[in-house]
PDB file of all heavy atoms in Angstrom:
ATOM      1  N   ARG B 114       5.306 -21.804   5.330  1.00  0.00           N
ATOM      2  CA  ARG B 114       4.486 -20.654   5.155  1.00  0.00           C
ATOM      3  C   ARG B 114       3.787 -20.694   3.779  1.00  0.00           C
ATOM      4  O   ARG B 114       4.335 -21.203   2.827  1.00  0.00           O
ATOM      5  CB  ARG B 114       5.307 -19.385   5.170  1.00  0.00           C
ATOM      6  CG  ARG B 114       5.517 -18.870   6.520  1.00  0.00           C
ATOM      7  CD  ARG B 114       6.947 -18.280   6.652  1.00  0.00           C
ATOM      8  NE  ARG B 114       7.385 -18.501   8.014  1.00  0.00           N
ATOM      9  CZ  ARG B 114       7.421 -17.594   8.985  1.00  0.00           C
ATOM     10  NH1 ARG B 114       6.904 -16.431   8.723  1.00  0.00           N
ATOM     11  NH2 ARG B 114       7.866 -17.867  10.157  1.00  0.00           N
ATOM     12  N   VAL B 115       2.558 -20.142   3.745  1.00  0.00           N
ATOM     13  CA  VAL B 115       1.883 -20.038   2.455  1.00  0.00           C
ATOM     14  C   VAL B 115       2.406 -18.792   1.749  1.00  0.00           C
ATOM     15  O   VAL B 115       2.616 -17.756   2.405  1.00  0.00           O
ATOM     16  CB  VAL B 115       0.376 -19.897   2.697  1.00  0.00           C
ATOM     17  CG1 VAL B 115      -0.307 -19.715   1.377  1.00  0.00           C
ATOM     18  CG2 VAL B 115      -0.089 -21.155   3.392  1.00  0.00           C
ATOM     19  N   GLN B 116       2.706 -18.883   0.487  1.00  0.00           N
ATOM     20  CA  GLN B 116       3.044 -17.725  -0.309  1.00  0.00           C
ATOM     21  C   GLN B 116       1.809 -16.916  -0.543  1.00  0.00           C
ATOM     22  O   GLN B 116       0.824 -17.374  -1.171  1.00  0.00           O
ATOM     23  CB  GLN B 116       3.649 -18.225  -1.660  1.00  0.00           C
ATOM     24  CG  GLN B 116       3.971 -17.085  -2.596  1.00  0.00           C
ATOM     25  CD  GLN B 116       5.227 -16.298  -2.142  1.00  0.00           C
ATOM     26  OE1 GLN B 116       6.180 -16.853  -1.651  1.00  0.00           O
ATOM     27  NE2 GLN B 116       5.079 -14.985  -2.285  1.00  0.00           N
ATOM     28  N   THR B 117       1.752 -15.660  -0.002  1.00  0.00           N
ATOM     29  CA  THR B 117       0.560 -14.880  -0.181  1.00  0.00           C
ATOM     30  C   THR B 117       0.499 -14.379  -1.597  1.00  0.00           C
ATOM     31  O   THR B 117       1.505 -14.147  -2.185  1.00  0.00           O
ATOM     32  CB  THR B 117       0.549 -13.671   0.773  1.00  0.00           C
ATOM     33  OG1 THR B 117       1.787 -13.033   0.692  1.00  0.00           O
ATOM     34  CG2 THR B 117       0.315 -14.138   2.217  1.00  0.00           C
ATOM     35  N   PRO B 118      -0.697 -14.178  -2.132  1.00  0.00           N
ATOM     36  CA  PRO B 118      -0.819 -13.649  -3.492  1.00  0.00           C
ATOM     37  C   PRO B 118      -0.301 -12.244  -3.562  1.00  0.00           C
ATOM     38  O   PRO B 118      -0.151 -11.523  -2.537  1.00  0.00           O
ATOM     39  CB  PRO B 118      -2.385 -13.652  -3.770  1.00  0.00           C
ATOM     40  CG  PRO B 118      -2.986 -14.343  -2.594  1.00  0.00           C
ATOM     41  CD  PRO B 118      -2.009 -14.418  -1.576  1.00  0.00           C
ATOM     42  N   GLU B 119       0.033 -11.790  -4.808  1.00  0.00           N
ATOM     43  CA  GLU B 119       0.646 -10.526  -4.992  1.00  0.00           C
ATOM     44  C   GLU B 119      -0.230  -9.381  -4.479  1.00  0.00           C
ATOM     45  O   GLU B 119       0.225  -8.437  -3.988  1.00  0.00           O
ATOM     46  CB  GLU B 119       0.985 -10.375  -6.446  1.00  0.00           C
ATOM     47  CG  GLU B 119       2.093  -9.360  -6.718  1.00  0.00           C
ATOM     48  CD  GLU B 119       2.166  -9.089  -8.185  1.00  0.00           C
ATOM     49  OE1 GLU B 119       2.197 -10.066  -8.984  1.00  0.00           O
ATOM     50  OE2 GLU B 119       2.185  -7.906  -8.539  1.00  0.00           O
ATOM     51  N   ASN B 120      -1.514  -9.532  -4.659  1.00  0.00           N
ATOM     52  CA  ASN B 120      -2.439  -8.456  -4.339  1.00  0.00           C
ATOM     53  C   ASN B 120      -2.649  -8.349  -2.825  1.00  0.00           C
ATOM     54  O   ASN B 120      -3.190  -7.369  -2.301  1.00  0.00           O
ATOM     55  CB  ASN B 120      -3.805  -8.736  -4.911  1.00  0.00           C
ATOM     56  CG  ASN B 120      -3.950  -8.046  -6.236  1.00  0.00           C
ATOM     57  OD1 ASN B 120      -3.170  -7.141  -6.530  1.00  0.00           O
ATOM     58  ND2 ASN B 120      -4.917  -8.425  -7.037  1.00  0.00           N
ATOM     59  N   SER B 121      -2.227  -9.326  -2.108  1.00  0.00           N
ATOM     60  CA  SER B 121      -2.558  -9.438  -0.655  1.00  0.00           C
ATOM     61  C   SER B 121      -1.998  -8.251   0.032  1.00  0.00           C
ATOM     62  O   SER B 121      -0.916  -7.702  -0.247  1.00  0.00           O
ATOM     63  CB  SER B 121      -1.891 -10.703  -0.102  1.00  0.00           C
ATOM     64  OG  SER B 121      -1.597 -10.565   1.163  1.00  0.00           O
ATOM     65  N   ARG B 122      -2.745  -7.765   1.033  1.00  0.00           N
ATOM     66  CA  ARG B 122      -2.401  -6.477   1.674  1.00  0.00           C
ATOM     67  C   ARG B 122      -2.489  -6.647   3.123  1.00  0.00           C
ATOM     68  O   ARG B 122      -3.359  -7.407   3.717  1.00  0.00           O
ATOM     69  CB  ARG B 122      -3.324  -5.395   1.192  1.00  0.00           C
ATOM     70  CG  ARG B 122      -4.800  -5.586   1.508  1.00  0.00           C
ATOM     71  CD  ARG B 122      -5.588  -4.352   1.154  1.00  0.00           C
ATOM     72  NE  ARG B 122      -6.907  -4.438   1.821  1.00  0.00           N
ATOM     73  CZ  ARG B 122      -8.046  -4.793   1.160  1.00  0.00           C
ATOM     74  NH1 ARG B 122      -7.974  -5.063  -0.074  1.00  0.00           N
ATOM     75  NH2 ARG B 122      -9.184  -4.851   1.798  1.00  0.00           N
ATOM     76  N   THR B 123      -1.583  -5.936   3.866  1.00  0.00           N
ATOM     77  CA  THR B 123      -1.721  -5.790   5.333  1.00  0.00           C
ATOM     78  C   THR B 123      -1.738  -4.341   5.666  1.00  0.00           C
ATOM     79  O   THR B 123      -2.743  -3.729   5.758  1.00  0.00           O
ATOM     80  CB  THR B 123      -0.626  -6.531   6.058  1.00  0.00           C
ATOM     81  OG1 THR B 123       0.671  -6.135   5.538  1.00  0.00           O
ATOM     82  CG2 THR B 123      -0.811  -8.051   5.864  1.00  0.00           C
ATOM     83  N   PHE B 124      -0.566  -3.750   5.902  1.00  0.00           N
ATOM     84  CA  PHE B 124      -0.503  -2.345   6.397  1.00  0.00           C
ATOM     85  C   PHE B 124       0.202  -1.519   5.457  1.00  0.00           C
ATOM     86  O   PHE B 124       1.061  -1.988   4.632  1.00  0.00           O
ATOM     87  CB  PHE B 124       0.111  -2.314   7.754  1.00  0.00           C
ATOM     88  CG  PHE B 124      -0.641  -3.022   8.861  1.00  0.00           C
ATOM     89  CD1 PHE B 124      -0.269  -4.280   9.312  1.00  0.00           C
ATOM     90  CD2 PHE B 124      -1.784  -2.443   9.346  1.00  0.00           C
ATOM     91  CE1 PHE B 124      -0.981  -4.882  10.230  1.00  0.00           C
ATOM     92  CE2 PHE B 124      -2.548  -3.046  10.333  1.00  0.00           C
ATOM     93  CZ  PHE B 124      -2.171  -4.281  10.747  1.00  0.00           C
ATOM     94  N   PRO B 125       0.021  -0.212   5.448  1.00  0.00           N
ATOM     95  CA  PRO B 125       0.692   0.657   4.478  1.00  0.00           C
ATOM     96  C   PRO B 125       2.108   0.958   4.810  1.00  0.00           C
ATOM     97  O   PRO B 125       2.480   0.866   5.957  1.00  0.00           O
ATOM     98  CB  PRO B 125      -0.137   1.975   4.533  1.00  0.00           C
ATOM     99  CG  PRO B 125      -1.264   1.761   5.456  1.00  0.00           C
ATOM    100  CD  PRO B 125      -0.949   0.579   6.258  1.00  0.00           C
ATOM    101  N   PHE B 126       2.934   1.249   3.798  1.00  0.00           N
ATOM    102  CA  PHE B 126       4.269   1.738   3.971  1.00  0.00           C
ATOM    103  C   PHE B 126       4.470   2.828   2.988  1.00  0.00           C
ATOM    104  O   PHE B 126       3.778   3.055   2.120  1.00  0.00           O
ATOM    105  CB  PHE B 126       5.278   0.644   3.857  1.00  0.00           C
ATOM    106  CG  PHE B 126       5.432   0.048   2.473  1.00  0.00           C
ATOM    107  CD1 PHE B 126       6.458   0.558   1.638  1.00  0.00           C
ATOM    108  CD2 PHE B 126       4.631  -0.958   2.006  1.00  0.00           C
ATOM    109  CE1 PHE B 126       6.596   0.011   0.307  1.00  0.00           C
ATOM    110  CE2 PHE B 126       4.822  -1.455   0.703  1.00  0.00           C
ATOM    111  CZ  PHE B 126       5.743  -0.962  -0.121  1.00  0.00           C
ATOM    112  N   LEU B 127       5.601   3.569   3.257  1.00  0.00           N
ATOM    113  CA  LEU B 127       5.885   4.710   2.396  1.00  0.00           C
ATOM    114  C   LEU B 127       7.114   4.316   1.426  1.00  0.00           C
ATOM    115  O   LEU B 127       8.077   3.777   1.885  1.00  0.00           O
ATOM    116  CB  LEU B 127       6.310   5.961   3.217  1.00  0.00           C
ATOM    117  CG  LEU B 127       5.247   6.566   4.055  1.00  0.00           C
ATOM    118  CD1 LEU B 127       5.803   7.620   4.976  1.00  0.00           C
ATOM    119  CD2 LEU B 127       4.160   7.100   3.211  1.00  0.00           C
ATOM    120  N   VAL B 128       6.990   4.678   0.195  1.00  0.00           N
ATOM    121  CA  VAL B 128       8.038   4.311  -0.804  1.00  0.00           C
ATOM    122  C   VAL B 128       9.056   5.384  -0.890  1.00  0.00           C
ATOM    123  O   VAL B 128       8.730   6.568  -0.957  1.00  0.00           O
ATOM    124  CB  VAL B 128       7.405   4.042  -2.178  1.00  0.00           C
ATOM    125  CG1 VAL B 128       8.389   3.477  -3.129  1.00  0.00           C
ATOM    126  CG2 VAL B 128       6.179   3.150  -2.041  1.00  0.00           C
ATOM    127  N   TYR B 129      10.374   4.973  -0.914  1.00  0.00           N
ATOM    128  CA  TYR B 129      11.428   5.945  -1.327  1.00  0.00           C
ATOM    129  C   TYR B 129      12.202   5.375  -2.434  1.00  0.00           C
ATOM    130  O   TYR B 129      12.103   4.140  -2.647  1.00  0.00           O
ATOM    131  CB  TYR B 129      12.241   6.300  -0.071  1.00  0.00           C
ATOM    132  CG  TYR B 129      13.159   5.154   0.448  1.00  0.00           C
ATOM    133  CD1 TYR B 129      14.343   4.830  -0.188  1.00  0.00           C
ATOM    134  CD2 TYR B 129      12.724   4.449   1.566  1.00  0.00           C
ATOM    135  CE1 TYR B 129      15.168   3.780   0.287  1.00  0.00           C
ATOM    136  CE2 TYR B 129      13.559   3.433   2.057  1.00  0.00           C
ATOM    137  CZ  TYR B 129      14.706   3.094   1.448  1.00  0.00           C
ATOM    138  OH  TYR B 129      15.431   2.057   1.902  1.00  0.00           O
ATOM    139  N   ASP B 130      12.956   6.208  -3.115  1.00  0.00           N
ATOM    140  CA  ASP B 130      13.574   5.693  -4.304  1.00  0.00           C
ATOM    141  C   ASP B 130      15.060   5.355  -4.201  1.00  0.00           C
ATOM    142  O   ASP B 130      15.542   4.475  -4.895  1.00  0.00           O
ATOM    143  CB  ASP B 130      13.474   6.790  -5.493  1.00  0.00           C
ATOM    144  CG  ASP B 130      12.007   6.839  -5.951  1.00  0.00           C
ATOM    145  OD1 ASP B 130      11.549   5.760  -6.278  1.00  0.00           O
ATOM    146  OD2 ASP B 130      11.431   7.898  -5.972  1.00  0.00           O
ATOM    147  N   ASP B 131      15.798   6.061  -3.360  1.00  0.00           N
ATOM    148  CA  ASP B 131      17.185   5.879  -3.324  1.00  0.00           C
ATOM    149  C   ASP B 131      17.656   5.396  -1.906  1.00  0.00           C
ATOM    150  O   ASP B 131      17.230   5.984  -0.904  1.00  0.00           O
ATOM    151  CB  ASP B 131      17.924   7.200  -3.674  1.00  0.00           C
ATOM    152  CG  ASP B 131      19.410   6.936  -3.894  1.00  0.00           C
ATOM    153  OD1 ASP B 131      19.827   5.875  -3.645  1.00  0.00           O
ATOM    154  OD2 ASP B 131      20.073   7.916  -4.393  1.00  0.00           O
TER     155      ASP B 131
END
Side-chain angles (χ1 to χ4, degrees):
Chain B
R114 271 144 217 263
V115 177
Q116 175 71 42
T117 51
E119 203 189 311
N120 267 344
S121 154
R122 61 173 195 257
T123 54
F124 295 102
F126 68 95
L127 294 172
V128 188
Y129 66 81
D130 286 310
D131 194 349

